[in-house]
């Protein structure tokens, strides 16, 4: 598939047109940002690792019956996906208290929840991606009630599949962010990526952070953490 015009350059990926109207090529970058773009850096090798990890996760999800945009890996850092019209919503699923939820609710990081917590955020960089509820999403026209119900159900299904996979790889799936969109023929499917940039993975035995928190919080050994996740996931897929 020929790489066509650059359609969009985001913080972590470039999205290109292809010779097919309904197919896009996604190219993963080594650039890293945090705190709504205020902190910037490079994680050497991240693009290739996130692309291949995300592909491994999406393949498992497809095999488990979750509809996704994933089509085909075409290179170390490039993948073909179905073109989606994205919902401007980030869906976060949490199994353990961490990050913004721990701060917002005054919880210590590390406490496991008795059931998963699903949150919605309005994907608006200029507003800092605010936390919203279903009513906000409906009055803003971000999604229909049916779409909200469907994305939450898919998000919980993704959680089940990923938790099992991560556990086999010796990691705890603390939380993660998903994005959904509609295909050209109207199907609501999972899009974007699943990687250490968009999830929290903690080592099951030691609690060591194996994700982007190493970059966000200046914990050091950032590249090594991404490589370690990649190595462990390759062993279980
Ligand atoms: P951001 O926009 O947050 O900086 P990225 O650098 O990851 O993020 O850019 C990728 C962009 O592509 C995101 O805006 C994401 O919503 C969008 N996207 C992901 N998958 C698809 C898809 N299948 N079709 C169209 N857009 C997509
Ligand atoms: N997340 C993401 N993109 C965002 C915000 C959050 O991928 O724009 C992921 C993040 O990596 C974590 C989960 O969503 O796995 C929950 O993030 P949180 O709300 O705790 O925000 P943070 O404190 O990480 O900014």
């Amino acid at each position: 598939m020929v790489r066509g015009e650059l359609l969009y350059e985001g913080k972590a990926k470039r999205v290109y047109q292809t010779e097919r109207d309904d197919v896009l090529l996604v190219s993963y970058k080594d650039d890293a940002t945090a705190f709504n773009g205020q902190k910037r850096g490079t994680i050497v090798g991240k693009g290739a690792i996130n692309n291949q990890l995300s592909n491994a996760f999406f393949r498992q999800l497809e095999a488990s019956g979750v509809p996704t945009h994933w089509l085909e890996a075409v290179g170390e850092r490039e993948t073909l996906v179905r073109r989606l019209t994205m919902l401007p919503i980030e869906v976060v699923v949490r199994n353990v208290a961490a990050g913004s939820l721990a701060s917002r609710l005054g919880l210590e990081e590390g406490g496991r929840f008795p059931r998963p917590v699903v949150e919605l955020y309005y994907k608006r960089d200029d507003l800092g991606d605010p936390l919203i509820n279903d009513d906000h999403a409906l009055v803003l026209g971000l999604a229909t009630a049916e779409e909200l119900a469907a994305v939450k159900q898919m998000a919980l299904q993704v959680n089940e599949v990923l938790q099992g996979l991560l556990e086999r790889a010796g990691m705890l799936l603390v939380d993660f962010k998903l994005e959904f969109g509609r295909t050209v023929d109207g199907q609501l499917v999972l899009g974007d990526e699943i990687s250490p940039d968009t999830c929290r993975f903690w080592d099951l035995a030691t609690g060591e952070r194996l994700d982007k928190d190493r970059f966000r919080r200046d914990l050091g050994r950032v590249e090594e953490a991404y490589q370690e996740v990649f190595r462990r996931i390759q062993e279980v897929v």
Side-chain angles (χ1 to χ4, degrees):
M1 189 84 62
V2 178
R3 181 204 281 189
E5 189 192 328
L6 178 67
L7 278 183
Y8 176 80
E9 174 153 7
K11 296 185 283 289
K13 303 189 282 299
R14 293 187 186 90
V15 181
Y16 295 91
Q17 222 147 358
T18 67
E19 69 255 33
R20 276 184 56 175
D21 261 359
D22 56 346
V23 176
L24 299 176
L25 185 142
V26 179
S27 180
Y28 285 70
K29 309 196 286 187
D30 285 354
D31 299 355
T33 63
F35 313 119
N36 200 22
Q38 285 166 27
K39 179 179 170 121
R40 289 166 186 277
T42 301
I43 301 174
V44 177
K46 175 170 84 78
I49 287 179
N50 279 3
N51 178 47
Q52 292 172 77
L53 265 176
S54 196
N55 287 341
F57 292 136
F58 273 82
R59 260 186 245 119
Q60 292 285 322
L61 291 169
E62 283 281 346
S64 306
V66 179
T68 81
H69 70 162
W70 190 80
L71 288 173
E72 189 189 341
V74 286
E76 223 188 18
R77 60 173 71 227
E78 296 184 337
T79 290
L80 295 174
V81 298
R82 295 202 271 170
R83 179 201 289 268
L84 302 181
T85 304
M86 303 301 291
L87 303 183
I89 293 175
E90 299 190 341
V91 182
V92 169
V93 181
R94 304 177 183 269
N95 300 304
V96 175
S100 72
L101 174 135
S103 320
R104 193 180 326 112
L105 301 184
L107 299 175
E108 233 178 90
E109 284 202 317
R112 290 203 198 198
F113 299 131
R115 45 165 285 174
V117 173
V118 181
E119 296 174 340
L120 305 178
Y121 292 84
Y122 183 16
K123 194 170 154 72
R124 273 278 299 262
D125 278 344
D126 59 332
L127 299 178
D129 296 345
L131 177 69
I132 56 171
N133 64 21
D134 285 33
D135 285 340
H136 297 129
L138 291 172
V139 297
L140 291 172
L142 309 183
T144 64
E146 292 71 27
E147 285 171 332
L148 291 177
V151 301
K152 285 187 197 175
Q153 198 223 320
M154 285 192 267
L156 290 172
Q157 210 183 334
V158 171
N159 190 39
E160 290 291 317
V161 175
L162 292 187
Q163 271 188 316
L165 195 64
L166 267 293
E167 196 173 327
R168 290 203 296 285
M171 289 178 279
L172 178 64
L173 179 62
V174 172
D175 55 35
F176 57 93
K177 182 268 298 177
L178 302 175
E179 293 183 29
F180 295 84
R182 283 213 176 274
T183 60
V184 174
D185 50 18
Q187 195 192 359
L188 187 63
V189 306
L190 177 66
D192 208 47
E193 69 175 278
I194 300 177
S195 73
D197 272 12
T198 64
C199 304
R200 286 193 168 93
F201 301 135
W202 293 358
D203 182 83
L204 263 182
T206 65
E208 188 188 2
R209 270 62 170 168
L210 296 171
D211 54 57
K212 197 168 138 187
D213 273 348
R214 301 206 74 82
F215 169 78
R216 292 190 190 98
R217 302 178 184 187
D218 295 320
L219 300 177
R221 298 178 58 79
V222 184
E223 279 86 4
E224 288 84 348
Y226 280 70
Q227 286 159 10
E228 177 67 12
V229 173
F230 186 40
R231 188 186 64 72
R232 292 193 196 185
I233 293 297
Q234 275 177 311
E235 278 177 6
V236 298
V237 292

